[in-house]
Amino acid sequence: MEERLNKWLSQMGVCSRREADRLIEAGKVLVDNRPASMGQKVTPGQKVVCNGKMVRVDRSQRPRPVLLAVNKPKGIVCTTEKREKDNIVDFIGYPERIYPVGRLDKDSEGLILMTNDGELMNEILKARNYHEKEYEVTINRPVTNVFLKQMSEGVEILDTVTRPCKVKRTGVYTFRIILTQGLNRQIRRMCEACGYRVRELKRLRIMNIHLGSLPTGKYREITGEELSKLEKLAGRKPGGVYHG
């Protein structure tokens, strides 16, 4: 049975579909010793090499699904790129191949999910799904009602207007914000557009997964009811199939 190469790489726990497309475009994926092309399909038994490593093709050897909640410290970069000395994969040192679900910029801290389940990752990241992410933010000037209103109603950044969101003052210089999209450095850009500068930014929650008391630099595995709820929110049907 033929399957799109990017989806297959995702299912094999190699990387996300988005990352697979990037690797294919960069010529780092070979199928039967030939450079793969965008949109290419593969069939069982074909030899696939990604980033110089053979990808196991036997579905019975598919790796155990892993999903971690990580408390990322400042200075760690959410990338699988080994040339980045502070990449999160080496920092975590998990014994199985995993990769970050989305981004949390180098200067920010808090919750980041890491997994080898590419399909789950894709569903979490899809902007159309309006999945919530909650942050605690410290800024350089007192939080005002005008600022809260601007942030909640949408701010013009990156040639678009951000989605309406929930914002609540938690202190003189601090507030919490719940986003349902993930534009590049979104909160920092939103604050700058309103005349403020972010001093501290910490992600507290992704969907139903809370950072809680997890120590900085540590991780925990997400299992049981917590995982089941996340999968349900992401649209996974019984049997591991996702809604289209």
Side-chain angles (χ1 to χ4, degrees), residues 54-65:
M54 174 80 76
V55 180
R56 48 186 141 193
V57 297
D58 184 352
R59 286 185 178 273
S60 67
Q61 298 178 17
R62 183 174 174 178
R64 173 183 72 91

Side-chain angles (χ1 to χ4, degrees), residues 78-132:
C78 292
T79 181
T80 58
E81 182 54 67
K82 292 291 186 177
R83 287 176 294 185
E84 170 55 66
K85 64 181 179 64
D86 294 319
N87 74 80
I88 194 166
V89 175
D90 288 343
F91 174 77
I92 294 301
Y94 197 73
E96 298 179 44
R97 179 164 50 187
I98 55 175
Y99 40 88
V101 180
R103 302 180 300 267
L104 187 60
D105 68 65
K106 186 175 182 178
D107 298 326
S108 300
E109 60 183 316
L111 181 62
I112 183 82
L113 303 181
M114 297 189 70
T115 189
N116 61 359
D117 187 335
E119 295 305 296
L120 177 59
M121 175 177 175
N122 289 330
E123 294 304 317
I124 292 173
L125 292 178
K126 281 179 182 175
R128 70 170 187 244
N129 290 335
Y130 282 74
H131 295 316
E132 291 188 346

Side-chain angles (χ1 to χ4, degrees), residues 150-151 154-163 177 179 181-195:
Q150 285 178 303
M151 294 287 284
V155 179
E156 188 172 345
I157 60 170
L158 299 172
D159 298 321
T160 188
V161 177
T162 59
R163 287 176 180 168
I177 183 169
L179 301 181
Q181 63 186 142
L183 302 177
N184 184 251
R185 295 175 70 86
Q186 180 171 342
I187 295 173
R188 295 179 187 275
R189 293 178 190 273
M190 290 172 70
C191 289
E192 288 169 6
C194 296

Side-chain angles (χ1 to χ4, degrees), residues 180-207:
T180 57
Q181 63 186 142
L183 302 177
N184 184 251
R185 295 175 70 86
Q186 180 171 342
I187 295 173
R188 295 179 187 275
R189 293 178 190 273
M190 290 172 70
C191 289
E192 288 169 6
C194 296
Y196 290 74
R197 188 175 71 253
V198 171
R199 285 183 171 168
E200 304 284 340
L201 195 156
K202 185 174 187 177
R203 185 152 62 197
L204 305 176
R205 176 174 65 88
I206 298 173
M207 299 164 69

Side-chain angles (χ1 to χ4, degrees), residues 4-233:
R4 287 179 68 93
L5 179 57
N6 63 352
K7 181 178 179 181
W8 184 84
L9 287 169
S10 172
Q11 290 176 333
M12 291 298 104
V14 176
C15 58
S16 67
R17 290 194 203 183
R18 187 181 305 171
E19 178 68 5
D21 285 338
R22 188 186 69 79
L23 292 170
I24 292 168
E25 194 170 20
K28 295 183 178 181
V29 181
L30 305 178
V31 177
D32 293 337
N33 299 316
R34 295 182 179 181
S37 57
M38 296 295 289
Q40 182 170 345
K41 294 184 177 181
V42 291
T43 56
Q46 287 191 284
K47 176 184 174 183
V48 179
V49 175
C50 182
N51 262 341
K53 295 182 180 180
M54 174 80 76
V55 180
R56 48 186 141 193
V57 297
D58 184 352
R59 286 185 178 273
S60 67
Q61 298 178 17
R62 183 174 174 178
R64 173 183 72 91
V66 173
L67 182 64
L68 304 181
V70 180
N71 189 348
K72 184 192 89 68
K74 292 180 184 178
I76 298 301
V77 183
C78 292
T79 181
T80 58
E81 182 54 67
K82 292 291 186 177
R83 287 176 294 185
E84 170 55 66
K85 64 181 179 64
D86 294 319
N87 74 80
I88 194 166
V89 175
D90 288 343
F91 174 77
I92 294 301
Y94 197 73
E96 298 179 44
R97 179 164 50 187
I98 55 175
Y99 40 88
V101 180
R103 302 180 300 267
L104 187 60
D105 68 65
K106 186 175 182 178
D107 298 326
S108 300
E109 60 183 316
L111 181 62
I112 183 82
L113 303 181
M114 297 189 70
T115 189
N116 61 359
D117 187 335
E119 295 305 296
L120 177 59
M121 175 177 175
N122 289 330
E123 294 304 317
I124 292 173
L125 292 178
K126 281 179 182 175
R128 70 170 187 244
N129 290 335
Y130 282 74
H131 295 316
E132 291 188 346
K133 296 184 288 287
E134 184 173 357
Y135 303 79
E136 178 83 25
V137 187
T138 303
I139 52 180
N140 64 324
R141 292 165 46 200
V143 177
T144 66
N145 290 335
V146 171
F147 169 76
L148 295 175
K149 187 172 186 293
Q150 285 178 303
M151 294 287 284
S152 66
E153 291 180 351
V155 179
E156 188 172 345
I157 60 170
L158 299 172
D159 298 321
T160 188
V161 177
T162 59
R163 287 176 180 168
C165 60
K166 299 174 185 176
V167 188
K168 179 182 179 181
R169 182 192 291 110
T170 55
V172 176
Y173 296 96
T174 59
F175 66 93
R176 287 196 181 188
I177 183 169
I178 299 175
L179 301 181
T180 57
Q181 63 186 142
L183 302 177
N184 184 251
R185 295 175 70 86
Q186 180 171 342
I187 295 173
R188 295 179 187 275
R189 293 178 190 273
M190 290 172 70
C191 289
E192 288 169 6
C194 296
Y196 290 74
R197 188 175 71 253
V198 171
R199 285 183 171 168
E200 304 284 340
L201 195 156
K202 185 174 187 177
R203 185 152 62 197
L204 305 176
R205 176 174 65 88
I206 298 173
M207 299 164 69
N208 67 305
I209 308 300
H210 293 260
L211 182 65
S213 59
L214 184 66
T216 301
K218 301 299 183 180
Y219 64 83
R220 64 178 178 85
E221 192 159 346
I222 298 169
T223 59
E225 185 177 339
E226 189 179 28
L227 176 59
S228 296
K229 184 175 180 181
L230 179 72
E231 291 179 325
K232 184 176 180 180
L233 289 170

